[in-house]
């Protein structure tokens, strides 16, 4: 199915007319005679890898999309089978899922995605992401399961691996200076 979707997207892209350009080499991403190469679009980065201010700006934009578009259209009823959290921004895994879903939405609503772009987004991204985020045992399972009882609780993750703990302990031992007496 994924291969068929990729092929459909590729066919849509190949069937579309190339943008008008003054350079005979523009189709190959090359500048014309004496011209400069077109600037590459910025590469999207996962929201959890962004720095503090950049992450806050991205989270604000994501929150607008979630509140104004995603929840009214795809939010469905809050139940034990489909929990939600009013403070979803504090759940890093939910933020990561929704951010990836939003980036895919932006890509697939672009005219270059062709007429089937949003169908591909629904089929390949939306259904899976919503199932993972709102699963009964998922990241929001300890939060609101009924609109009459809004709750929020971050579930603890697993402890670090033995290897990570051993490395941390070794670093703690190595930080003491050899000439310093220990008490």
């Amino acid at each position: 199915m994924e291969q068929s979707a990729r092929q459909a997207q590729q066919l849509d892209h190949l069937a579309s007319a190339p943008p008008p350009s003054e350079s005979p080499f523009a189709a190959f991403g090359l500048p014309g005679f004496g011209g400069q190469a077109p600037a590459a679009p910025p590469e999207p980065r996962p929201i959890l890898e962004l720095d503090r201010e950049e992450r806050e700006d991205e989270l604000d934009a994501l929150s607008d999309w979630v509140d104004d578009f995603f929840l009214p259209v795809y939010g469905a009823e809050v139940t034990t089978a489909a929990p939600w959290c009013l403070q979803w921004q504090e759940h890093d895994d939910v933020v990561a899922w929704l951010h990836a879903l939003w980036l895919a939405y932006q890509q697939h609503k672009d005219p270059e995605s062709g007429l089937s772009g949003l169908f591909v987004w629904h089929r390949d991204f939306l259904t899976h992401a919503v199932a993972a985020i709102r699963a009964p045992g998922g990241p929001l399972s300890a939060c609101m399961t009924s609109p009459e009882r809004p709750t929020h609780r971050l579930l603890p993750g697993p402890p670090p691996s033995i290897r990570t703990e051993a490395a941390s302990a070794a670093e703690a031992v190595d930080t003491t200076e050899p000439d310093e007496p220990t008490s």
Side-chain angles (χ1 to χ4, degrees):
M1 294 289 269
E2 186 175 310
Q3 184 180 8
S4 294
R6 256 186 282 135
Q7 288 174 344
Q9 186 177 8
Q10 195 173 26
L11 286 172
D12 287 343
H13 179 72
L14 291 172
S16 64
S21 174
E22 294 182 24
S23 168
F25 309 110
F28 304 105
L30 299 172
F33 300 108
Q36 293 188 4
E43 291 186 27
R45 291 178 39 211
I47 193 167
L48 299 181
E49 293 180 6
L50 300 177
D51 294 329
R52 184 176 298 248
E53 187 175 326
E54 194 177 13
R55 182 175 176 170
E56 282 300 316
D57 292 344
E58 192 76 356
L59 188 58
D60 286 343
L62 174 61
S63 296
D64 290 343
W65 180 77
V66 168
D67 293 339
D68 298 340
F69 175 73
F70 177 75
L71 286 178
V73 177
Y74 304 104
E77 183 179 5
V78 175
T79 65
T80 54
W84 185 248
C85 185
L86 298 175
Q87 298 172 39
W88 61 267
Q89 296 94 338
E90 295 180 21
H91 297 265
D92 282 344
D93 47 354
V94 173
V95 169
W97 271 104
L98 288 172
H99 187 252
L101 184 63
W102 179 48
L103 292 176
Y105 174 77
Q106 291 177 61
Q107 176 185 355
H108 285 83
K109 76 173 189 162
D110 188 276
E112 286 188 18
S113 292
L115 297 175
S116 63
L118 285 175
F119 176 79
V120 172
W121 178 77
H122 280 88
R123 184 195 64 203
D124 294 348
F125 299 93
L126 176 71
T127 305
H128 183 68
V130 170
I133 293 168
R134 299 192 67 189
L140 303 178
S141 60
C143 295
M144 182 171 60
T145 57
S146 170
E148 288 82 36
R149 290 173 287 151
T151 58
H152 166 69
R153 186 171 69 120
L154 295 174
L155 297 172
S161 69
I162 301 285
R163 182 180 176 103
T164 303
E165 285 183 350
S168 296
E171 283 180 18
V173 170
D174 289 343
T175 58
T176 58
E177 291 291 323
D179 296 338
E180 289 182 15
T182 56
S183 21

